Amino acid sequence: MRQNYLIMGCARSGLATAKFLANKGEHVILTDSKEESKIIESFPLVLELQKNPNIKLIFGQQPDLKVLDEVKEIIMSPGVPLNLPILEKAREEKIKIISEIELAYRYSKAPIIAITGTNGKTTTTTLVGEIFKNSGRKTFVVGNIGDPIINYIEEANEEDVFIAEISSFQLETIENFKPVMTTILNISPDHLDRHKTMENYIDAKYRIIENMNEENIFVLNKDDSVLSLRKTPNVKVLAFSMKEKVRQGAYYDGESIILVDQDEEYTICKRKELKIPGMHNVQNALAAVVLSYFGGVSIQVMQDTLLSFKGVEHRLEFVSEIDGITFINDSKGTNTDASTIAIKAFDTPIVLIAGGYDKKVSFDEWMDSFEGKVKYLVVLGATADQILETAERKNYENIEKVNTFEEAVLKAYENAENGDTVLLSPACASWGMFVDFEERGRVFKDIVKHLGGK
């Protein structure tokens, strides 16, 4: 009898989903290919779930295909591949495969404002969340940012709001998920190891609007060539731009962020007043302004929040200054475009730490951004040799490969001098070396602290 939910992947969303369903009296099979000891080390909540009679745990292996005889629905954690044999078999047997955000949407009373894109998701989601919180509305900042939506579904009411960062992995397995407002901040090559082609990646991102209608709002980045060429469904389209005025939305006039509502324009703040560095953060602020204002927040609240917002951990985060050398944690720079943006944010000479999991992308354009900026490059991880090969073709000689992360930080410090910036912006995911980019960033900060930082 098909009475179980099968949850694939024992990370944050998988654990949260298992707990949610079990507490509702549902029967759950939670599975992960990692060994139990490693899972418990990373997620102690497993020890609590082990005691729940409604939850069966299968760790250290892929579940036998026979388990599908007991399964009525499969819920995917974002990082789990969709081509596993058990999933192929499930499709043959017409067993529905969904994501945690789809399950959460089924139960949600509160509206969801969803933010996706290749870069800037976390900063924009956090900023929009702060704006809504400061407006006095009960706000839950959730999703790919680290806290699953399902954790707060029963707490959130109709008058509350979810501000959700959504990844392409989560969008692959939606069915009815429909935010009231959304934006795709930008699109550039990423996760091609998973999606195989750019077209597949773009299609995954665009699933965020497939269930929306004329009552819903899509905030378009007019400067992104991929986005501007795509047709949108029958939704209300607002816009933001760094290059030109918009009819309704927000734009940057070279000095200030300007909100446009019908025939009225309002200056929100000047770029130099923002505490988050870089022109990319002006773009993030534009998107946040449109989502917030047309989501019902006053201009005054937006202004106050923008002028006080200092950014997010692991994204261009100041760590310390040692011997006149500034250390910056940009562990969130998990693709080449994000790392390029980080490099452009600094006027000082940069000693860059990069490398990690191989997403099957080119490093050519990323390395082209080094000119006049990156004085030395330290590489490690699965992509180190590919980066070395790119450097050889580009005649970039100031590069060194190391074996450990600690060695990378020490080597960067050794090659920096007074007035330089040591920048951790890996251009790669952390998988295979760390649990996630957050752990990588925390380890970086800890190593820097022991260098004698203040």
Side-chain angles (χ1 to χ4, degrees), residues 290-308:
V290 181
L291 289 168
S292 302
Y293 177 78
F294 290 95
V297 179
S298 73
I299 290 175
Q300 186 64 57
V301 169
M302 289 192 299
Q303 289 173 328
D304 292 343
T305 307
L306 281 167
L307 296 182
S308 62

Side-chain angles (χ1 to χ4, degrees), residues 205-236:
K205 287 293 189 187
Y206 261 85
R207 294 205 67 190
I208 202 164
I209 59 176
E210 72 179 20
N211 295 312
M212 296 172 69
N213 56 40
E214 64 278 357
E215 296 178 356
N216 308 131
I217 293 175
F218 173 53
V219 180
L220 172 68
N221 178 358
K222 290 196 70 176
D223 304 336
D224 190 289
S225 57
V226 173
L227 296 168
S228 60
L229 292 174
R230 275 260 175 159
K231 291 183 178 180
T232 56
N234 189 28
V235 298
K236 182 177 181 179

Side-chain angles (χ1 to χ4, degrees), residues 253-401:
D253 68 357
E255 181 181 355
S256 301
I257 291 172
I258 310 295
L259 170 70
V260 184
D261 184 9
Q262 302 298 341
D263 297 325
E264 299 293 329
E265 292 195 356
Y266 307 91
T267 299
I268 302 302
C269 66
K270 297 182 183 298
R271 180 179 72 85
K272 64 183 181 181
E273 294 176 310
L274 294 174
K275 290 183 170 59
I276 44 179
M279 293 302 292
H280 66 289
N281 275 322
V282 177
Q283 188 176 72
N284 294 336
L286 287 169
V289 163
V290 181
L291 289 168
S292 302
Y293 177 78
F294 290 95
V297 179
S298 73
I299 290 175
Q300 186 64 57
V301 169
M302 289 192 299
Q303 289 173 328
D304 292 343
T305 307
L306 281 167
L307 296 182
S308 62
F309 184 68
K310 296 180 180 179
V312 298
E313 188 180 16
H314 311 299
R315 194 69 179 109
L316 293 176
E317 176 192 8
F318 173 82
V319 178
S320 184
E321 183 180 315
I322 306 171
D323 301 328
I325 302 165
T326 301
F327 289 80
I328 300 293
N329 169 27
D330 192 58
S331 184
K332 189 73 171 66
T334 58
N335 58 63
T336 54
D337 199 42
S339 182
T340 299
I341 289 168
I343 291 165
K344 290 180 178 179
F346 296 94
D347 296 324
T348 57
I350 294 170
V351 178
L352 180 64
I353 302 170
Y357 179 81
D358 187 3
K359 293 184 179 180
K360 308 299 181 186
V361 298
S362 168
F363 291 96
D364 286 56
E365 290 186 17
W366 171 70
M367 196 163 284
D368 288 341
S369 73
F370 287 10
E371 189 171 359
K373 306 280 283 185
V374 179
K375 61 181 280 187
Y376 203 86
L377 174 63
V378 182
V379 296
L380 74 164
T383 56
D385 289 337
Q386 184 184 349
I387 296 173
L388 284 168
E389 186 272 329
T390 304
E392 185 175 352
R393 285 191 289 101
K394 298 283 185 181
N395 296 314
Y396 184 87
E397 298 178 350
N398 298 329
I399 183 171
E400 187 167 353
K401 177 183 175 181

